[in-house]
Amino acid sequence: MSPGSRAGLGAAIVLLALVSVVEFADDSKVNYVGLVAAAPFLAAAFASWRVVLAVGAIATVLAVSLAWGGQVVPLAASVNVVGVVLATAIAALFAVIRQRQAERIAELSKLASVAQQAVLRPVGPQVGSLAVAGHYISSTAAADIGGDLYEAIDTPYGVRIIIGDVRGKGLDAVRLASIVLGSYRHVAYERADLRAIVADLDRAVARNVGDEDFVTAALVEERGGTLTIVNCGHPAPLLLRGGQVIPMEPPAPAPPLGFMPVVRPRVERLEPGDRLLLFTDGLGEARRDGEFFPTADRAWRLLGHGTVADGLASLESALVEWVRGRLDDDIALVLMEYPGPRSATTTAVPSWEVGAADG
């Protein structure tokens, strides 16, 4: 039996044993046979319908034994026995309905997991020359994904990372997040300039949302140790360098995707060991008793050591402890580390030129 069935059977048997002890120990004329009817319902809350029927059979036998303790069967006791039989039938029906609902929920959870893997593919641990980790923290236990999105890919123009947040919640937010990620995974390989990628994503969002819907986003490119960031109404990434935390604010503000943003890139020369944290506004809005989580103050202590995956795990633990396990919004996190310039290597020769190179 499953753990739930064992728990339901055990609880029902304990109840039947207690009723039997009370019935035999009490010398008064009070009849406790009716309490036996609760056993099938107790089992139905945890166990399968087969277990419920077994408990109901035991309860019926016990009810008959208690009712026939004397030579004459009182009418009230007979009614109680019939009540136990009816209770068993109703409890079994309840168990069938509950089991079907549980199977449906399990199927939907499986489909949601597949959808999550399709929308938010695993990131890292290595993308190009960068160490990268991504993590999604859901504000509800019933859903593993919402409107927050991220992706990191190695392109001919360097490693490119996007993080974004769709306005709203529910299936519409998930749908728009999938549209943005699908468009990004295509144009990131085709456009040499991040501003062209922003224009493409803006058109994709505008075609699929209403007048008041939008997507905040930050796009990052690392090419040869040069970091380029464009920001469309999104929280500024944090650069962790030598114990300091530096917000990568854009040179000029730009509206979110869907509002035709005109972005100005911010360019930064990376140093070996630099880490960059990208996050959605759920992190900035996490609070306890009105006090916001001090992301910038604690970022280096939480994220500056170990692997990038270890850093995100430490950040999540500190955050969940801060809010006492209650988040108001989903959070997407991406942490990347720049190891330094690549060592000089021999330039690869295309296969069709091998002979010419040897000559």
Side-chain angles (χ1 to χ4, degrees), residues 15-110:
L15 176 62
L16 293 176
L18 290 175
V19 172
S20 301
V21 170
V22 172
E23 177 72 20
F24 286 115
D26 192 354
D27 294 332
S28 65
K29 296 183 179 181
V30 178
N31 192 284
Y32 298 96
V33 177
L35 295 177
V36 175
F41 287 106
L42 184 60
F46 304 97
S48 66
W49 62 271
R50 294 181 178 86
V51 175
V52 173
L53 289 180
V55 170
I58 298 174
T60 302
V61 171
L62 178 62
V64 171
S65 300
L66 295 177
W68 287 359
Q71 296 297 325
V72 180
V73 181
L75 178 61
S78 300
V79 171
N80 285 335
V81 171
V82 174
V84 171
V85 175
L86 292 177
T88 300
I90 296 173
L93 179 61
F94 172 78
V96 170
I97 296 174
R98 180 189 55 77
Q99 188 171 358
R100 288 180 178 177
Q101 290 178 339
E103 291 173 353
R104 180 171 177 79
I105 291 173
E107 182 179 359
L108 292 176
S109 298
K110 184 178 180 179

Side-chain angles (χ1 to χ4, degrees), residues 165-167 176 198-217 231-234 253-263:
D165 189 357
V166 177
R167 178 184 179 273
L176 184 53
V198 169
D200 289 337
L201 296 181
D202 177 67
R203 287 191 291 269
V205 171
R207 286 193 297 264
N208 292 277
V209 299
D211 295 336
E212 297 182 356
D213 294 326
F214 56 84
V215 180
T216 67
N231 197 314
C232 304
H234 198 78
L257 299 174
F259 292 144
M260 295 184 292
V262 178
V263 295

